[in-house]
Structures are given as C-alpha cells and as structure tokens.
Amino acid sequence: MELNIRKLKQDDLTFIRKWWEAWPEWVSPADDFLPETGVVVENNSKPVAAGFIYLTNAKVALLEWIISDPEYREKDRKEILELLIKGSENTVKEIGYKYMFSVCRNKHLIETHKKLGWVADESPSHELVKILN
C-alpha cells in the first residue's frame, strides 16, 4: 500500500461523478457549484477519495463534498480519510488560512474529524441552498 495525496485536477470530476452516482442518497453537485481547489488521495496511484476546499475572503476555508470510491473496501479507509483531512489542512495552511469549517452528517466522518482535533457542534444544522438566477 502506497498512499499519497495530491491537488485536485479538473479532469478528476469524471471519476468523482461516478462515485457520487454509485453512493445511495448522494446528489452530485453542478460543476459550477464546486471549487477548483481540493485534494485527492491515491493508493498505488489509484484515486480512492477526494474532498473540495472552498476558499473565502476571510481566514477560513471550507472542506466539503468528501467522497470515496464506493468499490474501495480495503481496511485502510479510515487512514485514507485522515490523510485527506490532514492534507486539506496543510493545503489551507500553506496559502495562509487560519480556520477550517466543514458540514457533515456521516457519523464515521464526524468521528474522524474529532480524532484530528476538530470540534463538532452537537446541535444539528441544515444546509440551505438557493440557486440565484
């Protein structure tokens, strides 16, 4: 096993869209809803997880749309998600941001964030989206 993390490339959306289609209850966001900044974790050069980083005009970045290959069932899935989150933190630090924020409902992903020092608000929130024409 050789895990590595790299910056997201726009052509990565091809396989990421297939992942979203394969996961039940996931809706793939529109291309222009996604930021160009993000990370991809690979195992032996095969992409296995990705996350998107929204950069704001404050010192905060949002880590969102974390997704993994639904066919990848190796035992290192937790390690891969930890690498993805830590790699995102490093990416954001390198460009001068101080804070990270994420919205998540998957209990395993929430626990991974907590393990890495993130603070989880125990009160439920809702994502609100409006398309402006």
Side-chain angles (χ1 to χ4, degrees):
M1 166 184 76
E2 185 181 324
L3 295 179
N4 71 301
I5 190 163
R6 64 169 173 79
K7 291 181 179 178
L8 178 80
K9 298 180 278 189
Q10 285 305 298
D11 62 341
D12 291 334
L13 287 177
T14 304
F15 64 79
I16 292 171
R17 293 228 171 277
K18 290 178 184 172
W19 292 352
W20 271 317
E21 291 168 9
W23 280 107
E25 299 181 23
W26 268 83
V27 175
S28 180
D31 285 354
D32 60 357
F33 193 90
L34 295 169
E36 293 179 7
T37 309
V39 294
V40 173
V41 176
E42 297 175 327
N43 186 347
N44 295 320
S45 301
K46 180 185 185 294
V48 292
F52 293 84
I53 301 170
Y54 290 85
L55 303 175
T56 72
N57 61 353
K59 291 294 180 187
V60 62
L62 285 78
L63 174 59
E64 293 299 329
W65 301 105
I66 294 174
I67 185 83
S68 63
D69 180 349
E71 295 179 8
Y72 188 82
R73 294 293 176 200
E74 303 301 319
K75 293 182 180 181
D76 60 357
R77 287 179 66 84
K78 285 184 182 181
E79 183 181 349
I80 286 168
L81 290 176
E82 287 179 21
L83 178 60
L84 186 138
I85 294 168
K86 285 191 239 179
S88 297
E89 291 172 4
N90 290 335
T91 297
V92 167
K93 266 195 232 178
E94 286 173 5
I95 55 178
Y97 283 70
K98 185 176 178 182
Y99 307 100
M100 288 192 76
F101 182 85
S102 190
V103 176
C104 155
R105 68 179 73 139
N106 179 287
K107 67 180 181 176
H108 300 295
L109 191 53
I110 292 169
E111 290 306 315
T112 301
H113 277 86
K114 286 180 178 179
K115 178 182 175 185
L116 298 174
W118 290 59
V119 176
D121 183 350
E122 298 301 325
S123 299
S125 298
H126 299 276
E127 301 90 27
L128 303 167
V129 176
K130 180 177 182 179
I131 299 173
L132 304 174
N133 293 329

